[in-house]
Amino acid sequence: MANDASAVSDARSPAVSNDKLADPFTPPADSSLWRKNFLLGAATASYQIEGAVDEDGRLPSIWDTFSAKPGKVLAGDTGAVACDHYHRWEADVDMLASLGLEGYRLSIAWPRVKDAAGLPNRKGLDFYKRLLNRLKEKGITTFVTLYHWDLPQHLEDRGGWLNRDTAYRFADYADLMSRELAGTVDAWATLNEPWCSAYLGYGNGHHAPGLADGRFATQAMHHLLLAHGLALPVLRANDPASQKGIVANIGRGTANSASAADQRAAHLFEVQHNAWILDPLLKGAYPQDLFELWPGTEPLVLDGDMQTISAPLDFLGINYYFRTNVASDGAHGFRDVPLEGVERTQMGWEVYPDGLRDLLTGFKSTYHNLPPIYITENGMASDDKVIDGHVDDTQRISFLKLHLAAVNQAIKAGVDIRGYFLWSLMDNFEWAFGYERRFGVVHVDYSTQKRTIKRSAELVAKFLKERKARV
């Protein structure tokens, strides 16, 4: 889940107009979403749902350490219990299947499957084997992310992503997992949102491990992307039948005025959010505009690194949530200028589906080797409550309908998009915002762990049932 606000933010969602209560979810008849081969699923991440942080040999992660520090996470929340998925996974898979969702994107907790000496932790590996085997039994397509931010703390103690050796340790981890889980994974993603890992973790300190230095951010990014590149040939060798890719969060930046300075600011925003990751992956070089924005932060790049990083991908995962309106800061960068009178979510993020369409079509023009795309995360947080056994998450229903329409527009414009994953399957630990912000299509009562299917999930299930009946 992409998250670039500080832990102390307390934005609230606006009231939703009654006319949206009648807004159906079902896409129009000419929508590409009716295609039989368009995958519709839901996503989660290990630290956000599993809990059981000290069971069966799991080691501490940087998020265990970070969330234990006062003031780092809203209300002092941690992922120690989360959704207790580690113990409730069978029921959660049954719930996923009952909704008719065709795909499930999950991540593996690196600290759960290897010990500090780099040896396999069999109890942790067995957990994921049981989970993936059950998903395959249910006929659910499996997308597995190797790194969704929970770096083992013992690696952070040796420098984390600032240490080039971590990239090689990641390749070792990818080797173990792809040997152990070969045949149960349809698609491997090496990293989730390296922008968040590098910038929020090492650039501004809002995420684990909580460091704040521009030079740290660019060097951490380089090592993250190097880790991705080193892992790809290992995954291909061990599990040749699966797809291999990476997941990037993208941001739409719009200019506050038509002035050249503000237009440049919007360009630099998108360089920092998008080209910083996509250019090395798809062009084999970092965008030089990035170092105009952050002078003197060029990472140490060794011979052969960029060739490793830019190896061909089978797919590119795209996570999108909102746009940012910016103006020139009067120097070399940009500043946020929040727009008034726009719809916002519980996170304070603007609902702007056109940004997803515009970015996707822009990528098609910019990157002539753009691989097939899956929207691996899209969704919104709202202050959902169970009333008489039901959750009527009206704003989310509208959000999903609008963003799926934007995806359809991008497909009609020629972008090869093959699937869409809701973020998230269920409410969970929302990183620096703890448990207050609810992104799930299934409500979780954290005091009882009761799951309640929201109206949005019911409508998605209804659509999938209708689509299946048409085939």
Side-chain angles (χ1 to χ4, degrees), residues 50-52 55 58 86 109-114 121 124-125 127-128:
E50 285 181 2
E55 291 187 39
R58 182 191 178 277
Y86 189 75
W110 188 348
R112 198 179 291 285
V113 296
K114 297 192 82 172
N121 175 24
L125 288 168
F127 167 71
Y128 292 109

Side-chain angles (χ1 to χ4, degrees), residues 27-97:
D30 64 345
S31 172
S32 301
L33 274 62
W34 288 103
R35 294 186 333 220
K36 177 183 177 182
N37 60 349
F38 186 89
L39 184 69
L40 190 57
T44 63
S46 52
Y47 191 74
Q48 294 183 265
I49 66 168
E50 285 181 2
V53 296
D54 56 2
E55 291 187 39
D56 293 338
R58 182 191 178 277
L59 300 178
S61 78
I62 57 174
W63 270 95
D64 296 311
T65 303
F66 185 78
S67 60
K69 295 179 180 178
K72 296 299 184 182
V73 176
L74 202 64
D77 291 336
T78 76
V81 177
C83 304
D84 196 31
H85 176 72
Y86 189 75
H87 301 115
R88 301 168 186 267
W89 66 270
E90 291 177 275
D92 287 340
V93 171
D94 289 346
M95 177 180 67
L96 180 75

Side-chain angles (χ1 to χ4, degrees), residues 223-243:
H223 291 155
L224 282 154
L225 295 178
L226 179 63
H228 154 79
L230 292 170
L232 281 183
V234 174
L235 296 171
R236 294 194 188 284
N238 292 343
D239 196 9
S242 62
Q243 297 183 75

Side-chain angles (χ1 to χ4, degrees), residues 39-43 93 96 101-108 128-145 181-189 239 241-244 315 374 376 421:
L39 184 69
L40 190 57
V93 171
L96 180 75
L101 290 165
E102 302 160 327
Y104 182 48
R105 177 177 172 243
L106 65 139
S107 76
I108 292 168
Y128 292 109
K129 287 180 179 180
R130 292 192 300 271
L131 173 59
L132 286 161
N133 282 328
R134 179 64 63 87
L135 288 164
K136 299 312 290 182
E137 289 171 8
K138 297 287 186 179
I140 295 170
T141 299
T142 52
F143 275 60
V144 173
T145 304
L181 301 179
T184 65
V185 176
D186 293 298
W188 292 97
D239 196 9
S242 62
Q243 297 183 75
K244 290 84 182 173
F315 74 93
Y374 289 87
T376 36
F421 290 80

Side-chain angles (χ1 to χ4, degrees), residues 263-283:
Q263 295 293 321
R264 180 67 176 169
H267 167 75
L268 290 174
F269 175 92
E270 292 197 357
V271 166
Q272 192 243 47
H273 276 74
N274 307 328
W276 185 17
I277 296 90
L278 298 182
D279 275 18
L281 290 170
L282 301 175
K283 292 184 176 181

Side-chain angles (χ1 to χ4, degrees), residues 118-169:
L119 298 175
N121 175 24
R122 285 294 157 192
K123 289 184 177 180
L125 288 168
D126 287 346
F127 167 71
Y128 292 109
K129 287 180 179 180
R130 292 192 300 271
L131 173 59
L132 286 161
N133 282 328
R134 179 64 63 87
L135 288 164
K136 299 312 290 182
E137 289 171 8
K138 297 287 186 179
I140 295 170
T141 299
T142 52
F143 275 60
V144 173
T145 304
L146 284 168
Y147 184 69
H148 201 127
W149 307 354
D150 42 2
L151 183 72
Q153 182 61 45
H154 67 87
L155 291 179
E156 181 60 38
D157 292 341
R158 300 205 295 267
W161 291 111
L162 299 179
N163 184 349
R164 185 180 176 93
D165 184 64
T166 301
Y168 295 93
R169 301 292 72 75

Side-chain angles (χ1 to χ4, degrees), residues 283 358-370 413-415:
K283 292 184 176 181
D358 294 346
L359 287 168
L360 291 170
T361 54
F363 294 157
K364 183 177 185 294
S365 299
T366 301
Y367 303 107
H368 300 299
N369 57 341
L370 187 70
V415 184

